[in-house]
Amino acid sequence: MGKFQSSSVNDPQKLGAHSAERVLVIACGMLAREILAVKAQAGLDHLDLTCLPAEYHFRPNMIAPEMDKAIERAKAEGYRHIYAGYADCGTGGMLDKVLERHGVERLAGPHCFSLYQGTAAFEAIGDRDMLAFYMTDFLCRQFDSFFMKPLGLDRHPELIKDFFGNYERLVYLAQTNDPELDKVAEDAAKLLGLQYERRYTGYGDLETSLRAL
């Protein structure tokens, strides 16, 4: 998923005074659908959204510098209220350094898997999930493009054991109740040779954080 923006103002020349009173969420593309869903359900019409590519999931070293650029662009467009729709996401604290410099807050927690379950719940179940491979609605929709093709599993299924042999369970953290996504997760568990568990989380702390804006 590439960059996009959801805003009630489509003409960049009309941004400025309008943007100053709105909140721009600069988020991971993996959270785009979920953020827009929360925005619609909660009536958060004051939120605008722009996303960095979801592919940075594989290159977390790109997140901090690209977030820095995105914040600079947002400020140039007149946004005074900016929020990072990211957890740490593997940046090792580098994202926090960028955000601190700009005075921008982010989603709490280490990654979206803790975000959806709630940080407290994630920490409480941490030891039990030590050998769990997590999937979300996004990862179910993008299973082929995020796992099968990049890892070469579609061409070399014998590599499945090399990549997933240390996992015991596939845990699907479901944001929605979608039978098609359930099937993807179940089939993935069978393919990877893992026990299957489904947990309905909804939007978890993501919804709480967005409502607080």
Side-chain angles (χ1 to χ4, degrees):
M1 180 178 294
K3 301 176 185 177
F4 71 95
Q5 181 164 309
S6 173
S7 172
S8 58
V9 171
N10 296 317
D11 184 353
Q13 295 181 350
K14 293 181 181 179
L15 291 169
H18 172 86
S19 299
E21 301 307 318
R22 300 182 65 77
V23 177
L24 177 67
V25 180
I26 304 175
C28 171
M30 293 178 68
L31 301 180
R33 182 190 291 257
E34 288 70 28
I35 290 174
L36 291 176
V38 171
K39 175 181 175 177
Q41 292 174 11
L44 305 178
D45 296 332
H46 60 290
L47 296 187
D48 293 337
L49 174 66
T50 187
C51 287
L52 301 183
E55 288 77 11
Y56 290 171
H57 175 79
F58 292 121
R59 295 188 293 165
N61 61 303
M62 296 289 293
I63 295 174
E66 292 302 316
M67 175 63 75
D68 190 25
K69 295 175 185 176
I71 293 174
E72 291 291 355
R73 287 194 298 270
K75 289 180 176 179
E77 292 177 348
Y79 284 101
R80 294 186 303 175
H81 310 292
I82 302 170
Y83 189 77
Y86 273 90
D88 177 73
C89 298
T91 69
M94 296 305 296
L95 177 59
D96 285 336
K97 291 182 179 180
V98 168
L99 299 180
E100 183 178 359
R101 188 169 71 251
H102 288 286
V104 171
E105 296 183 358
R106 69 165 173 86
L107 296 167
H111 41 60
C112 62
F113 306 125
S114 67
L115 182 71
Y116 285 135
Q117 297 184 90
T119 302
F122 173 75
E123 292 176 351
I125 205 170
D127 290 341
R128 177 173 175 265
D129 279 4
M130 189 66 67
L131 299 179
F133 175 70
Y134 286 131
M135 289 185 67
T136 63
D137 282 13
F138 175 89
L139 292 175
C140 284
R141 293 189 182 95
Q142 304 295 331
F143 184 74
D144 285 343
S145 60
F146 259 65
F147 296 110
M148 295 300 292
K149 293 179 180 178
L151 298 178
L153 304 182
D154 55 335
R155 303 180 303 278
H156 301 285
E158 68 274 11
L159 295 176
I160 289 176
K161 189 171 183 179
D162 294 333
F163 284 114
F164 297 93
N166 291 325
Y167 292 105
E168 293 180 350
R169 291 178 297 130
L170 185 152
V171 178
Y172 171 29
L173 306 174
Q175 284 69 72
T176 58
N177 290 307
D178 186 329
E180 291 186 4
L181 298 184
D182 290 347
K183 187 176 187 310
V184 171
E186 291 175 2
D187 289 346
K190 293 177 183 178
L191 176 69
L192 303 179
L194 304 176
Q195 298 176 17
Y196 178 66
E197 179 181 342
R198 183 186 191 274
R199 293 179 198 160
Y200 177 76
T201 65
Y203 301 116
D205 286 350
L206 175 64
E207 179 172 3
T208 305
S209 298
L210 292 178
R211 285 180 178 272
L213 298 179

